[in-house]
Amino acid sequence: MTGGDQLSPGSRRLHIARLALFAAGLAVMFYLVAVARVIDVEGVRGMVAATGAAAPFAYLVVSAVLGAVFVPGPLLAAGSGLLFGPLVGTFVTLGSAVGTATITSFLGRRAGRESARGLLGAERAQRIDARIERRGMWAVVGQRFVPGISDALASYVFGAFGIPLWQMAVGSLIGSAPRAFVYTALGASIGDLSAPLAYTAIAVWCVTAIIGAFAAHRGYRSWRGRSARRETVPDRDPDH
């Protein structure tokens, strides 16, 4: 019997309520920012540009915070390319991606880790901790390569499962590099999408998407294989 099975009904309901409240808060924030667009990103770019020589650092910090509240990363990266060009802009975009990963992971850890571990139980939580210690950083890298997944949302989930902040930061730095270049370069080429830089960015995006899809498929097959092996192992009799 795991620690999660020994929870009292009241404790279990409390953990479920906390996680549900956390998920609902993220859903509302995602709708307001990513769908309803309550934040004027163009206005933010204008204010940052007015800071002069400090603009790259200011945009890095502002983008990290905006990314954490679900402002789409490609939109922020394109703005970085538009403001600072492909070279400086890529470094600004990459720095903001690491900042967003750190912020969201920290908040996810504070808001959901205790309840997630409580529902999983001590035995499962220990297995997950051991797996995170071995592969947590590479899980972050792999997620960044998979297209169509919100990096901020994934980082909240990673934080709730207890991935350390250093693994989030390093994994995000490695995994976000290709897309940071892609979207920043496209933003810098917005006036001439037929330029060699734009074609290079599109080619990098295609290669990254293929690698990400392959990695996701392989990870899913590996997970299914482990699940099948666990199901074939007979339960131990506690009396023996």
Side-chain angles (χ1 to χ4, degrees):
M1 183 177 291
T2 65
D5 296 328
Q6 296 172 350
L7 284 176
S8 67
S11 297
R12 181 177 292 276
R13 285 194 294 268
L14 178 60
H15 286 315
I16 293 174
R18 287 182 61 181
L19 289 176
L21 183 62
F22 178 47
L26 293 180
V28 170
M29 186 164 57
F30 179 84
Y31 173 79
L32 291 175
V33 177
V35 180
R37 303 289 179 90
V38 297
I39 296 177
D40 181 8
V41 178
E42 291 186 5
V44 171
R45 283 204 302 264
M47 288 187 293
V48 168
T51 61
F57 179 75
Y59 194 77
L60 188 156
V61 174
V62 171
S63 293
V65 175
L66 292 179
V69 297
F70 295 113
V71 172
L75 187 62
L76 295 171
S80 180
L82 190 63
L83 286 172
F84 311 117
L87 180 59
V88 174
T90 296
F91 284 102
V92 171
T93 298
L94 194 53
S96 69
V98 174
T100 295
T102 304
I103 294 170
T104 50
S105 176
F106 174 78
L107 294 177
R109 189 181 183 93
R110 292 296 300 271
R113 185 169 187 259
E114 181 181 347
S115 293
R117 290 177 66 87
L119 292 175
L120 287 170
E123 183 179 339
R124 289 180 180 176
Q126 289 171 1
R127 288 203 301 265
I128 290 175
D129 286 345
R131 189 169 297 173
I132 286 173
E133 185 176 351
R134 295 194 305 270
R135 304 174 182 173
M137 185 187 75
W138 296 110
V140 178
V141 173
Q143 180 274 313
R144 292 312 195 255
F145 273 76
V146 178
I149 298 178
S150 167
D151 291 346
L153 180 59
S155 296
Y156 279 116
V157 174
F158 282 140
F161 276 95
I163 290 186
L165 290 180
W166 76 265
Q167 290 190 357
M168 287 298 308
V170 176
S172 179
L173 179 66
I174 298 171
S176 299
R179 283 193 291 172
F181 164 74
V182 167
Y183 294 123
T184 305
L186 289 175
S189 306
I190 197 68
D192 183 13
L193 291 178
S194 63
L197 180 63
Y199 286 127
T200 302
I202 293 170
V204 171
W205 185 90
C206 291
V207 172
T208 303
I210 292 171
I211 293 173
F214 175 78
H217 178 68
R218 184 174 181 179
Y220 175 73
R221 289 185 62 183
S222 176
W223 174 78
R224 284 291 302 272
R226 287 194 299 268
S227 299
R229 286 194 297 271
R230 284 198 298 267
E231 290 174 359
T232 59
V233 176
D235 295 333
R236 295 180 178 177
D237 188 342
D239 295 330
H240 291 78

